[in-house]
Amino acid sequence: MKTLSTALFSVLAAMAISSVTLADPASTDAMAKHDKKGYFAHIDTNGDGVITKDEATTAALKRFEKMDANGDGQVTKEEAKAAHKKYKDEKRSCKDKKAK
């Protein structure tokens, strides 16, 4: 359990430092909604103005699952890079659609 907590904390810290979030690759509408709401509001699922440990853990696990392309319960550097590239490409695509 301590290893899981440490891993989740590391993931959350990395996300907070880089402010990179991974949106659902299948939905650019979800990305736009996430950008409007902001990162904090996206994690604060009940909208009470605070992020609980459960909300933070849920958000981190969702990101982890999106990065774990082969579903083996581990994220390699390659999977993390691919997920980041996919996010950037979709964000760019969403911005292009808005510009039109």
Side-chain angles (χ1 to χ4, degrees):
M1 185 66 183
K2 183 175 176 148
T3 303
L4 178 61
S5 296
T6 303
L8 289 175
F9 176 77
S10 297
V11 169
L12 287 172
M15 290 182 326
I17 291 168
S18 68
S19 73
V20 173
T21 58
L22 299 173
D24 184 355
S27 174
T28 54
D29 289 338
M31 286 176 58
K33 189 176 194 179
H34 172 84
D35 288 345
K36 283 182 185 175
K37 286 174 54 178
Y39 182 70
F40 188 93
H42 179 73
I43 295 174
D44 179 21
T45 55
N46 65 1
D48 66 355
V50 296
I51 296 175
T52 64
K53 188 175 186 177
D54 287 339
E55 288 170 324
T57 301
T58 298
L61 288 173
K62 285 180 182 178
R63 281 178 192 73
F64 183 90
E65 289 169 1
K66 289 177 185 175
M67 288 190 295
D68 183 14
N70 64 2
D72 68 353
Q74 300 176 344
V75 175
T76 64
K77 287 181 183 180
E78 292 78 15
E79 286 173 319
K81 286 179 184 179
H84 180 70
K85 181 182 181 322
K86 184 181 282 189
Y87 167 74
K88 284 175 48 178
D89 291 347
E90 293 204 4
K91 188 171 183 177
R92 187 177 305 117
S93 174
C94 186
K95 284 182 181 180
D96 292 345
K97 286 181 183 179
K98 283 183 182 180
K100 291 181 180 180

